[in-house]
Amino acid sequence: MKRKAAMLMSLCCVGIHVYSQSSSKDSVKMVNLQEVVISTRATSKTPVAFTNVSKKQLEKQNFGQDIPFLLTATPSVLTTSDAGSGVGYTGIRVRGTDATRINITTNGIPMNDAESHAIYWVNTPDLASSLEDLQIQRGAGTSTNGSGAFGASINMKTQGIPSKAYGEFSGSYGSFNTHKETFKVGSGLINNHWAFDARISNIQSDGYRDRASSDLKSYFAQAGYYGENSSIKFITFGGKEETYHAWDGISRERLKTDRRYNPNGKIKDGKVEMGFYDNQLDHYKQTHYQLLFNHSFSSAWNMNVALHYTDGNGYYEEYKNDRTLKEYSLLSYIIDGINYDKSNLIRRKHVDSGFGGGIFSFNYKNNRLDGSIGGGLNHYKNDHYGQVIWVKNYIGYLAPDHEYYRNKGEKLDGNIYAKANYELTKGFNLYADLQYRSINYQIKGNNDKWDWSAEPERPQLLDIDKDFNFFNPKAGVFWQINPNNNVYASFAVAQKEPTRNNYTDGLFDKHPKAEKLFDYELGYTYRNSCFTAGINLYYMDYKDQLVLNGNLNDIGEPMAENVKDSYRMGVELTAGVKLTDYLRWDVNATWSKNRIKNYTEYLSDYSDKGSELYTQTERYLGDTPIAFSPSFMAGSLINFELSGWSASFQSQYVSRQYLDNAGDKENSLDAYFVNHLHAGYTFKIRHVKSITVGASVYNLFNTKYETNGYSQTAAVYQTDSNGNPTNNWRVSNDPCFYPMAGTNVLFNLTLRF
């Protein structure tokens, strides 16, 4: 409590920096509709690598797929989809780093789960329909709220409230019975001060893979009051999802015979497959509340304050075959004189979370200086518990709500920052950004893992209470050489605490260390009215990065361990040319080298199944590639717009990606080249502002490719003539993959009033 009180006092003035701006062209002159602009965003003179994605760009392809798939045309971005179609559980990687290392905010408020650091886009489906724009910063980026940006940050801004009343319907339908319906309505400005806005959405899909269905509902609503110098806005948005599990990949052999196969929910009687469980489902509901206040003291000074709360709860249900009963706090049973200590069962794993806090900033801007002081203080609590609701042929008492584990995670996270961009001489800017972040993280209770090494055996006990204090300085220079040319250079430090899984899956008596990143960036941009080109060089030096290396914890499960030295270095190229008034071509490419130094891999000996803890074999590999980090990737986007007609042709090439850190070709995703085509026509009729009809063809040339997977590498020892193990062993690989859909289509219709 003393520790928390000290944090509260030291961070009593923390928040988010947001600039005020006037509304769109159709705003009523009597009122300046001030809207928030994310403080953590880079501007044209900030020395970081970033890409802005506008509302118009999002609308052109927002027909049902999740936000990651709307960003595939941006540099260094890769996407994944469990269901294979971009609907349901999806993921994003930037510069090879996954979402647990990408800081994601909405209006400056953290979206990453405070414990896992993951972002589950499925919990807020169709959020893109309520975004004004977003910015992707690659590298450590600028100071932000929430978990550390270890590869990138994505800053989303929700839409402003238009000053004129409107209505809108958009719908789509296509392959795999995928369809999306979105209704939007806005009041316009009422009595020169008030405005309201709302959206509801429905997205459903059978998925490309068998039974990989999604049933997604969401909403967005906001109300604002706009005064002469102040504005206050209340925003709420959320979603409810039900998805069938497609969490497991399939073998390389299965890819050749049945790419759509989904092993999740399999029911077995011994070794015989009996079918699939209908309720192998994930249920989750998440609701966000945001209260944003903006006040301008003068043309130079303004203040912004935001309060927020996110409520989330749900569970997933799954059928498990041949499970050891005592791991679920169940007694063995006897039938016909035979003792059964294993059986098939159905379990549910529940989470019930709450995340809330406040953020603020004071901002100053004149002709030469743009600065702010701000920060945030957030509290998170999450209950985890599991139930067994059915056991096959069970003889004995089974309560309807039989519980076999329960634990609670709690996190207090505060930060304060000061940053400034100062024009030292005409065209030459100095940038400085200093952040202090303090975290207390606790986990108490029983985990869902059984501790076979304990005396007596019991569920794994969790008793984590860790403090972290990070100082993250950033500095850079920006030089506008002339109106067409600019260069920048920057250095940044980012630090990140371990995730929940790093604790629960690690050694019981040894906890992971925090990770640190030193990020060096150097960039150049040329721009004129018809052509833009840019180059960005980066070197990201990691200390104590947490990676899965095959080592096992106390109960024989793979875990992540700190590796002393690792790095990512590369060059990002971008270019765009306006060929005519109606035709534009943009391209990007990333060459990179991603390595772990002096790497040692641990291989389990799965032939030694008689022991409770599998034996392991060390394999020193030296400098090896980091998993899921392609050495080359490139993208192309050709856009056409003329007289209401629009079309785009998007292409992406990704080189080989390794599924683990050993650099073994057998455990890798093959390189792929995939293309998508979008086309539409917009016209007007009486009483309708505009009508847009169109179609999107994904994977135009029916490429067979995979974007995600995992390795299952083992050491298999040879035996002598008597069946005794020898010192000779070989590496056995059994990787699994997540296939993407072949050619598929979505037709779309949008009506605006």
Side-chain angles (χ1 to χ4, degrees):
M1 290 300 295
K2 291 181 180 179
R3 188 163 46 212
K4 293 182 181 180
M7 289 181 66
L8 284 166
M9 293 184 66
S10 65
L11 297 168
C12 61
C13 293
V14 293
I16 182 175
H17 157 55
V18 281
Y19 297 114
S20 63
Q21 68 174 25
S22 59
S23 66
S24 59
K25 295 180 181 179
D26 62 354
S27 60
V28 177
K29 293 182 180 179
M30 295 177 62
V31 178
N32 177 25
L33 297 187
Q34 301 177 75
E35 298 288 356
V36 293
V37 175
I38 314 307
S39 67
T40 54
R41 287 195 170 181
T43 67
S44 59
K45 295 184 179 181
T46 307
V48 300
F50 69 93
T51 302
N52 291 324
V53 182
S54 68
K55 183 181 183 70
K56 183 178 179 181
Q57 290 172 302
L58 293 171
E59 287 178 343
K60 283 184 176 180
Q61 50 186 326
N62 181 26
F63 308 127
Q65 292 186 323
D66 286 348
I67 286 177
F69 280 77
L70 308 185
L71 305 179
T72 53
T74 58
S76 301
V77 168
L78 294 175
T79 57
T80 65
S81 171
D82 289 0
S85 58
V87 181
Y89 272 91
T90 60
I92 186 170
R93 298 190 181 101
V94 182
R95 289 185 180 176
T97 61
D98 65 20
T100 64
R101 294 160 180 274
I102 299 173
N103 176 277
I104 300 173
T105 58
T106 301
N107 299 327
I109 294 167
M111 291 284 287
N112 300 74
D113 181 84
E115 281 195 299
S116 69
H117 298 186
I119 176 75
Y120 300 104
W121 303 99
V122 72
N123 294 337
T124 53
D126 202 27
L127 181 58
S129 289
S130 297
L131 293 182
E132 189 68 31
D133 53 36
L134 59 81
Q135 182 181 89
I136 304 176
Q137 296 178 21
R138 302 184 296 279
T142 61
S143 288
T144 185
N145 297 293
S147 59
F150 248 49
S153 59
I154 299 177
N155 306 303
M156 299 183 290
K157 175 190 171 186
T158 56
Q159 65 187 28
I161 303 180
S163 60
K164 292 185 178 180
Y166 77 98
E168 181 180 315
F169 166 79
S170 61
S172 59
Y173 183 82
S175 302
F176 321 122
N177 196 31
T178 300
H179 58 95
K180 170 180 175 284
E181 298 82 35
T182 298
F183 297 88
K184 299 176 65 175
V185 64
S187 68
L189 196 61
I190 302 173
N191 294 330
N192 293 330
H193 291 292
W194 296 92
F196 305 90
D197 196 53
R199 169 188 60 82
I200 57 172
S201 299
N202 172 64
I203 302 174
Q204 294 184 341
S205 176
D206 293 340
Y208 167 67
R209 299 178 66 191
D210 296 338
R211 305 177 314 285
S213 61
S214 300
D215 184 356
L216 316 176
K217 307 287 192 297
S218 71
Y219 78 95
F220 177 91
Q222 58 181 341
Y225 174 83
Y226 301 90
E228 183 176 353
N229 297 309
S230 302
S231 67
I232 187 167
K233 182 191 284 189
F234 173 74
I235 299 173
T236 177
F237 61 93
K240 182 179 181 181
E241 62 91 4
E242 180 179 282
T243 54
Y244 194 98
H245 299 183
W247 300 347
D248 293 343
I250 60 177
S251 68
R252 196 181 300 276
E253 291 70 26
R254 180 76 73 167
L255 282 175
K256 299 174 183 177
T257 59
D258 185 5
R259 293 179 58 83
R260 304 183 72 166
Y261 180 74
N262 177 11
N264 290 98
K266 184 186 300 181
I267 299 173
K268 297 175 67 176
D269 185 0
K271 295 183 178 181
V272 180
E273 184 177 309
M274 306 297 292
F276 295 89
Y277 182 55
D278 290 338
N279 285 336
Q280 190 89 356
L281 300 173
D282 180 55
H283 304 259
Y284 198 79
K285 181 180 180 181
Q286 190 173 86
T287 307
H288 298 253
Y289 305 95
Q290 299 181 357
L291 184 65
L292 311 177
F293 175 72
N294 173 292
H295 179 72
S296 295
F297 299 100
S298 67
S299 60
W301 285 95
N302 70 73
M303 175 189 72
N304 299 275
V305 176
L307 301 176
H308 69 90
Y309 185 77
T310 301
D311 179 63
N313 64 84
Y315 66 90
Y316 65 86
E317 182 172 316
E318 57 185 346
Y319 191 100
K320 304 297 289 185
N321 294 285
D322 198 30
R323 306 301 291 184
T324 301
L325 294 175
K326 67 178 177 181
E327 294 185 28
Y328 295 86
S329 300
L330 293 169
L331 300 174
S332 60
Y333 59 96
I334 298 175
I335 298 178
D336 296 331
I338 301 175
N339 183 67
Y340 291 88
D341 59 3
K342 293 183 178 182
S343 185
N344 296 1
L345 54 83
I346 298 171
R347 70 184 186 188
R348 286 180 177 174
K349 290 189 172 183
H350 297 255
V351 292
D352 188 357
S353 64
F355 175 64
I359 51 180
F360 90 104
S361 71
F362 289 99
N363 316 296
Y364 176 80
K365 186 176 184 180
N366 63 19
N367 293 333
R368 302 183 67 179
L369 176 64
D370 186 351
S372 64
I373 297 175
L377 183 65
N378 304 301
H379 179 259
Y380 175 88
K381 183 179 290 187
N382 197 354
D383 288 325
H384 306 258
Y385 62 98
Q387 297 173 329
V388 176
I389 63 173
W390 175 84
V391 180
K392 181 181 178 181
N393 297 329
Y394 192 64
I395 297 177
Y397 177 70
L398 177 63
D401 56 351
H402 175 80
E403 190 171 287
Y404 66 99
Y405 76 90
R406 179 179 286 269
N407 59 78
K408 179 180 293 184
E410 190 167 359
K411 190 172 190 178
L412 186 63
D413 181 351
N415 80 93
I416 190 166
Y417 65 80
K419 53 186 173 183
N421 198 327
Y422 179 70
E423 187 177 41
L424 187 64
T425 62
K426 184 174 178 58
F428 190 81
N429 287 60
L430 298 178
Y431 176 80
D433 183 342
L434 306 176
Q435 183 200 52
Y436 173 76
R437 182 166 175 248
S438 183
I439 304 112
N440 173 250
Y441 180 47
Q442 301 179 24
I443 317 176
K444 306 290 183 180
N446 293 327
N447 200 13
D448 62 337
K449 306 178 189 304
W450 190 258
D451 186 356
W452 295 94
S453 64
E455 291 291 342
E457 296 173 5
R458 61 174 183 262
Q460 178 192 358
L461 296 178
L462 299 174
D463 188 14
I464 309 297
D465 189 347
K466 289 290 182 180
D467 291 308
F468 299 92
N469 295 283
F470 300 138
F471 175 60
N472 300 316
K474 302 174 176 68
V477 296
F478 177 90
W479 181 25
Q480 185 74 50
I481 303 171
N482 56 45
N484 302 116
N485 298 273
N486 66 68
V487 295
Y488 64 84
S490 65
F491 169 73
V493 176
Q495 298 177 82
K496 181 176 178 295
E497 71 277 18
T499 68
R500 172 185 169 86
N501 285 350
N502 295 146
Y503 288 111
T504 61
D505 297 346
L507 295 173
F508 296 172
D509 60 351
K510 181 181 179 181
H511 294 154
K513 295 182 289 185
E515 308 168 85
K516 180 177 285 190
L517 165 65
F518 301 96
D519 183 22
Y520 306 83
E521 307 267 343
L522 176 64
Y524 164 78
T525 301
Y526 172 83
R527 187 185 308 274
N528 64 25
S529 59
C530 296
F531 179 73
T532 61
I535 180 172
N536 186 70
L537 306 175
Y538 65 88
Y539 182 78
M540 302 170 70
D541 184 18
Y542 296 91
K543 301 299 180 184
D544 294 321
Q545 184 177 187
L546 283 159
V547 302
L548 287 168
N549 66 351
N551 204 2
L552 302 182
N553 63 14
D554 304 65
I555 56 176
E557 294 183 328
M559 67 179 191
E561 283 193 320
N562 296 102
V563 294
K564 184 176 180 181
D565 295 307
S566 56
Y567 66 89
R568 300 180 186 274
M569 62 183 296
V571 54
E572 296 168 324
L573 301 177
T574 58
V577 58
K578 185 179 179 181
L579 299 171
T580 68
D581 289 340
Y582 51 84
L583 186 62
R584 180 178 178 85
W585 186 17
D586 292 280
V587 295
N588 63 75
T590 302
W591 283 268
S592 64
K593 185 177 181 181
N594 312 276
R595 293 290 187 271
I596 300 174
K597 299 179 181 179
N598 300 313
Y599 179 68
T600 298
E601 181 185 41
Y602 295 85
L603 301 174
S604 299
D605 175 15
Y606 288 100
S607 64
D608 182 21
K609 292 184 181 292
S611 63
E612 293 171 354
L613 299 180
Y614 301 149
T615 60
Q616 290 197 280
T617 300
E618 291 186 14
R619 182 168 63 150
Y620 177 74
L621 296 172
D623 290 1
T624 62
I626 301 176
F628 298 106
S629 302
S631 59
F632 177 71
M633 54 186 300
S636 168
L637 181 63
I638 301 173
N639 265 312
F640 168 86
E641 292 188 26
L642 179 65
S643 301
W645 293 95
S646 65
S648 66
F649 183 67
Q650 180 183 339
S651 306
Q652 185 180 43
Y653 175 82
V654 180
S655 68
R656 184 174 304 280
Q657 301 176 69
Y658 296 102
L659 300 178
D660 56 26
N661 303 306
D664 190 331
K665 184 178 179 180
E666 190 172 350
N667 285 333
S668 69
L669 300 170
D670 292 335
Y672 61 86
F673 181 58
V674 64
N675 301 268
H676 313 295
L677 178 64
H678 308 274
Y681 178 61
T682 300
F683 58 97
K684 298 180 180 180
I685 62 174
R686 189 177 181 182
H687 305 306
V688 179
K689 186 176 181 180
S690 69
I691 300 176
T692 301
V693 293
S696 298
V697 184
Y698 304 100
N699 195 358
L700 182 63
F701 302 117
N702 201 31
T703 301
K704 292 183 178 180
Y705 70 110
E706 300 80 46
T707 60
N708 202 6
Y710 50 90
S711 67
Q712 300 181 108
T713 306
V716 178
Y717 280 81
Q718 298 178 2
T719 57
D720 58 23
S721 57
N722 296 320
N724 298 316
T726 67
N727 291 326
N728 297 320
W729 58 277
R730 62 178 177 84
V731 176
S732 173
N733 295 310
D734 185 22
C736 288
F737 305 89
Y738 296 85
M740 295 296 292
T743 302
N744 62 102
V745 181
L746 275 177
F747 299 96
N748 62 84
L749 168 69
T750 299
L751 305 175
R752 294 184 175 91
F753 303 92

